[in-house]
Amino acid sequence: MAPKPSKASKAQPKAPEPIKEYPNIAAFHQATYENSRPYHKPLASLSATEKTHYAYARLLETGIWKSWDEFQRKDFWKYIETNKIPVPLPEPKDLGRDRNGRDISKYSVKEYEEYQKRERGLEGLVRESTRFRDRQRRLRRSGRAGEDIEGEIEEERNRRKLIGVLRGKKMGRYEEDPEWDDVVPIAQDDGEGALAQIAYTEEYSEGI
C-alpha cells in the first residue's frame, strides 16, 4: 500500500514587527521624515525603477504637478498610488521650549502627545474667553451691560482659572474675575527720587 502523501504544513502567520521605540520626539520626527523619502539617496545606489520613483517623488514634493491638466494629474497620481510612493515630508523644525524652559524636542513621544493635547485645550479656552470679552465690550458700548448672565460670568471665571493652570501661571484676583474687566488700573508712580520701591501686596499691585 502506497504511503499517503504528507499534508503540506500550514504557513505560520508572520509575527508582527515590534513597535519601534524612540528616545524622544525629535528622533521620531526625524525617522518619519526619512521614511517619507525612501528614494532620496545617491542616484548611483538606486535601481532603474527606484530612479523613476525618485523622479515622481521629486515632482510630488515640488508641487509642479498642480499646473498640469486633469489628464496628466490623473495619470501622475495613478502611478503614485500604484507604486505606493510616500508624500515627502518637510524637514522637522525646532520645537522650541515649553513654559518651564524645557526643550520640547527632548519630550518622549507620549509626553509630546499630552503636551499637544494640553495646548489644543488651552487654545480653545483662550478663544472662548476672547469671545466672552468681546461680547462684554459690545454690550457695555451699547449700554446693555445689564444683560450679563450670571451663569456666563461664572463659566468665564472658571475658564480663566483653568487657563492659568494650563499656563502654569497663577492669575490675580482681578485678572481672573470677569466682573473687573472694565476697570482700568491706575499706574503707580513713586517719583524719580524714590529711595526704594514700596513693597505692595500682590493683590494691591495688581489693582494699581
Side-chain angles (χ1 to χ4, degrees):
M1 184 176 178
K4 293 181 180 180
S6 59
K7 294 182 179 179
S9 59
K10 293 183 179 180
Q12 295 296 320
K14 188 177 180 181
E17 293 185 6
I19 299 175
K20 187 172 181 179
E21 296 289 339
Y22 296 93
N24 51 52
I25 190 61
F28 172 76
H29 283 169
Q30 185 63 29
T32 304
Y33 166 74
E34 292 173 0
N35 290 338
S36 75
R37 297 164 174 267
Y39 310 112
H40 288 62
K41 302 174 183 177
L43 290 178
S45 67
L46 300 178
S47 66
T49 300
E50 288 174 333
K51 287 178 181 178
T52 303
H53 290 353
Y54 170 76
Y56 272 81
R58 287 291 296 140
L59 292 171
L60 189 60
E61 183 176 15
T62 60
I64 194 172
W65 57 271
K66 296 177 182 178
S67 64
W68 299 345
D69 61 40
E70 184 178 353
F71 176 78
Q72 288 176 308
R73 289 200 301 268
K74 185 177 180 180
D75 194 47
F76 173 74
W77 278 104
K78 181 179 179 181
Y79 185 93
I80 294 291
E81 293 170 1
T82 300
N83 293 281
K84 297 181 172 58
I85 298 175
V87 177
L89 297 175
E91 191 170 0
K93 296 180 180 179
D94 180 24
L95 298 175
R97 295 182 177 274
D98 63 19
R99 292 181 180 83
N100 296 318
R102 183 183 173 191
D103 187 349
I104 297 175
S105 66
K106 303 299 183 185
Y107 279 18
S108 69
V109 175
K110 185 173 180 58
E111 284 178 324
Y112 186 68
E113 289 174 352
E114 293 172 350
Y115 169 78
Q116 285 189 307
K117 184 178 179 180
R118 286 196 305 271
E119 289 299 300
R120 286 193 296 269
L122 177 58
E123 288 173 5
L125 289 169
V126 170
R127 281 196 300 270
E128 289 298 319
S129 183
T130 300
R131 290 193 191 102
F132 175 87
R133 293 171 193 262
D134 291 343
R135 178 173 176 270
Q136 296 299 84
R137 277 193 289 267
R138 288 195 299 271
L139 289 173
R140 282 195 293 271
R141 282 198 298 266
S142 62
R144 295 156 53 202
E147 294 183 14
D148 294 348
I149 301 173
E150 182 60 32
E152 290 185 9
I153 292 177
E154 185 60 29
E155 183 180 353
E156 173 64 10
R157 189 177 288 121
N158 292 331
R159 185 184 295 123
R160 293 186 191 183
K161 288 179 181 178
L162 186 52
I163 288 173
V165 170
L166 291 175
R167 284 177 171 170
K169 169 193 171 186
K170 182 181 178 182
M171 286 191 175
R173 171 184 173 184
Y174 305 110
E175 183 183 8
E176 74 174 19
D177 192 341
E179 294 186 353
W180 289 89
D181 283 352
D182 59 342
V183 177
V184 180
I186 300 174
Q188 179 71 24
D189 184 5
D190 292 330
E192 294 182 3
L195 297 177
Q197 185 177 2
I198 300 174
Y200 298 114
T201 63
E202 289 185 7
E203 183 177 334
Y204 187 82
S205 296
E206 185 187 6
I208 60 174

